[in-house]
Amino acid sequence: MNKIILFIFFFSLFGNNEPFYNYKHDKVYKIINNGLIPLIDGKLNDACWLNVEDINSFTQLEPNYNGIPSEKTTVKIIQDEYAIYIGARLFDGNSKLIAKKFVNRDDFAKLSMSDWFSISIDSHHDHQTGYEFIINAAGVQFDSFLFDDTDEEINWDGVWES
């Protein structure tokens, strides 16, 4: 049931020295500021999302590393001077199989037993630190500060809406 998607943004060209270059060299996405912001309501019908390019060339992390996803996912990203807005549509051929678990915020052990979407932002482009944001199908949030390449501080609580 759990669908984990490898989600990589590649904002600048560092050539073959860039980690995982072969997987992401052609995955460039320009985030736009169209002067509009979305209502955070779970619907992507706001005018701000019109004419914004979809990201849809994802690969699986599990169960088949770098495999073709079993379900379609589309993501759009916009920004303004204050925030980044991420709109994601995660499709499922049988919506009755979508696992929704109501758990406490930041309880990843229980949250991970439901369907969820995550994004990690390497804001310094150092491949060592970043921020992870996860939302499950029931609307439960998880966030963490990533450091030393593989460690995370789950007591970091960012201010964000979903």
Side-chain angles (χ1 to χ4, degrees):
M1 267 190 245
N2 298 338
K3 296 171 192 79
I4 302 172
I5 308 240
L6 179 62
F7 195 62
I8 298 176
F9 285 115
F10 185 56
F11 293 107
S12 51
L13 302 175
F14 289 92
N16 291 337
N17 294 332
E18 180 71 15
F20 304 104
Y21 175 80
N22 291 335
Y23 294 108
K24 61 186 179 178
H25 69 89
D26 61 346
K27 297 189 183 229
V28 177
Y29 186 80
K30 181 167 175 54
I31 301 173
I32 64 166
N33 180 349
N34 59 14
L36 302 169
I37 61 171
L39 180 63
I40 311 299
D41 61 359
K43 302 174 185 172
L44 298 178
N45 57 1
D46 301 291
C48 63
W49 299 116
L50 297 175
N51 303 315
V52 176
E53 181 182 356
D54 282 339
I55 302 170
N56 55 25
S57 60
F58 295 99
T59 60
Q60 280 186 3
L61 181 59
E62 293 177 3
N64 300 312
Y65 183 77
N66 207 31
I68 297 170
S70 57
E71 302 287 348
K72 179 180 174 183
T73 298
T74 62
V75 173
K76 294 182 177 194
I77 304 174
I78 58 174
Q79 69 177 33
D80 65 15
E81 56 274 8
Y82 305 106
I84 298 170
Y85 304 93
I86 301 165
R89 288 191 193 274
L90 298 99
F91 297 86
D92 195 307
N94 186 348
S95 61
K96 292 180 182 183
L97 295 178
I98 297 173
K100 299 177 187 177
K101 303 276 185 199
F102 289 99
V103 298
N104 292 328
R105 179 184 171 143
D106 290 336
D107 186 347
F108 186 73
K110 292 180 182 170
L111 180 138
S112 66
M113 296 187 314
S114 60
D115 287 310
W116 50 276
F117 172 79
S118 74
I119 184 162
S120 298
I121 299 175
D122 179 359
S123 57
H124 296 287
H125 198 98
D126 63 4
H127 305 283
Q128 299 291 312
T129 60
Y131 302 90
E132 176 180 43
F133 302 89
I134 300 174
I135 181 84
N136 81 351
V140 178
Q141 295 179 336
F142 173 90
D143 53 22
S144 66
F145 172 69
L146 307 170
F147 63 97
D148 291 341
D149 197 28
T150 59
D151 294 324
E152 64 183 323
E153 173 54 59
I154 63 171
N155 291 320
W156 177 82
D157 286 320
V159 178
W160 57 292
E161 295 179 60
S162 57

